[in-house]
Amino acid sequence: RRVRAGSLLRARGRLQLNPRLTGPDLVACELELLASPQVEAQKEPQKEPQDAPSVRPPQKQGTPETRRAAASAEERPFSSPPLRAPKRPPRVLSVQDGAGIAALSAALDEAVSRGEPVAFDCEWRPRNCHADPSDDDGSLQLLQLATRREAFVVDVAAFASPGAEESRSELRRCLLRLLRAEESEKLGFASGEDLRRLETSLPGVTEGAANMRDLQRAATRAVGSPRRTVVGLAGACEALLRASLDKSRQSSDWAARPLSAEQLEYAALDALVLPTAHEELERRRIRAGGAPAGTGFGAPFF
């Protein structure tokens, strides 16, 4: 059946990541024509005689729902639902000294005591910011930790300076308690390099880590990624949450100080999206017949 440009369609199907990893495509299993643009008649309609009896117009076919959709389509142009940006985090704390570590430690201990998941992400100086790429010593600049309510951006480089040994030791003890806590899931995304650099910057901190979960593989399966490809964090947010995650500052110089407000917000959001993505993956797994692995906590971040 020929469909005119500007027609309003209802599609049912599933999302599948396209091979360019730029977001999901819709694999349609069923299409329903709701409205088609009107075409002007080529000749003037014949006039009815003055004494002709009034004729009731024929009832439009279809369900009440499709008739309402068709009527609204005649009043407005069709557009797909826009992607939305994640909300700004309710609270982002920059951790640069002992007082910041104390606040971080209290928040993480509370989350662990409640059995809540804690997300993590890391930033380091990208190779394009080095005069010689071989100068990359594997160290970390930032560690982001987030619950559903707040995010902490830890300036790991600040604790590597002379005179910060005590604060550095306290940070290491705080992270050891978190990573070894079996009652709380630690959520990462493509986290292999994050953990390697965290271990390089704070030796021994990842030893005995328990209940670690990398969401990338589950997200790749959920969005139907082609074989031998994996979905990135921005693609996963777009496919799972219909949210657009800005990655434009991914390659900024994370060793430069002071960090801009935009850099801090970018870093915080990379961790804050993970609990929401985790809950969506769990909902999909349960709908597919799997047993729930945990319980959702708090209101969605998006």
Side-chain angles (χ1 to χ4, degrees):
R1 183 174 182 178
R2 186 174 180 180
V3 178
R4 297 181 183 278
S7 297
L8 176 63
L9 301 175
R10 172 184 293 163
R12 296 182 179 87
R14 61 183 177 84
L15 291 175
Q16 176 173 299
L17 196 71
N18 64 44
R20 299 179 300 281
L21 298 181
T22 56
D25 292 333
L26 177 65
V27 180
C29 301
E30 181 181 347
L31 291 174
E32 180 182 358
L33 180 63
L34 300 181
S36 182
Q38 300 293 327
V39 180
E40 294 184 358
Q42 299 298 323
K43 59 181 181 179
E44 294 186 4
Q46 295 180 356
K47 294 183 179 180
E48 287 187 7
Q50 295 297 326
D51 58 349
S54 59
V55 180
R56 185 179 181 183
Q59 294 290 331
K60 292 184 179 180
Q61 296 181 352
T63 65
E65 181 182 350
T66 58
R67 289 200 296 270
R68 285 194 299 269
S72 63
E74 294 174 359
E75 298 174 359
R76 58 176 174 78
F78 172 72
S79 60
S80 59
L83 295 177
R84 62 189 186 279
K87 299 175 185 175
R88 290 194 174 191
R91 181 187 178 205
V92 176
L93 178 64
S94 179
V95 179
Q96 299 177 321
D97 52 25
I101 294 176
L104 170 68
S105 181
L108 294 180
D109 288 346
E110 181 181 1
V112 169
S113 68
R114 295 181 177 183
E116 298 183 16
V118 177
F120 68 93
D121 188 57
C122 297
E123 306 295 343
W124 52 88
R125 195 180 193 191
R127 294 198 171 194
N128 63 288
C129 293
H130 291 278
D132 184 351
S134 62
D135 292 340
D136 185 3
D137 59 0
S139 61
L140 205 58
Q141 294 297 324
L142 298 180
L143 167 64
Q144 305 95 272
L145 296 160
T147 65
R148 295 299 297 269
R149 296 173 298 277
E150 56 192 351
F152 295 86
V153 180
V154 183
D155 190 347
V156 178
F159 297 107
S161 59
E165 291 81 3
E166 184 176 349
S167 295
R168 183 182 178 87
S169 297
E170 183 58 36
L171 174 62
R172 184 176 178 277
R173 288 192 291 270
C174 170
L175 295 178
L176 276 172
R177 289 198 305 274
L178 170 68
L179 295 179
R180 292 180 178 180
E182 296 185 358
E183 60 269 36
S184 175
E185 283 184 304
K186 274 69 71 176
L187 309 176
F189 197 96
S191 56
E193 183 66 11
D194 292 339
L195 293 172
R196 187 186 72 79
R197 287 180 179 263
L198 181 59
E199 178 66 27
T200 298
S201 297
L202 297 169
V205 74
T206 62
E207 293 180 8
N211 207 355
M212 308 291 289
R213 185 164 183 183
D214 193 320
L215 301 183
Q216 187 178 47
R217 182 178 297 179
T220 298
R221 288 197 304 266
V223 303
S225 179
R227 296 180 65 182
R228 297 185 296 277
T229 61
V230 292
V231 65
L233 182 56
C237 286
E238 184 176 340
L240 297 173
L241 309 174
R242 291 297 299 164
S244 176
L245 191 63
D246 182 8
K247 303 295 287 184
S248 60
R249 301 190 181 276
Q250 184 175 24
S251 298
S252 60
D253 190 352
W254 295 103
R257 295 294 185 274
L259 294 170
S260 67
E262 291 78 12
Q263 283 179 300
L264 290 173
E265 183 174 318
Y266 168 93
L269 285 174
D270 266 10
L272 273 163
V273 298
L274 295 181
T276 306
H278 173 49
E279 283 199 359
E280 176 60 23
L281 288 169
E282 284 298 300
R283 280 193 289 268
R284 294 186 179 207
R285 190 166 68 87
I286 293 170
R287 285 199 300 266
T295 305
F297 298 92
F301 179 64
F302 291 97

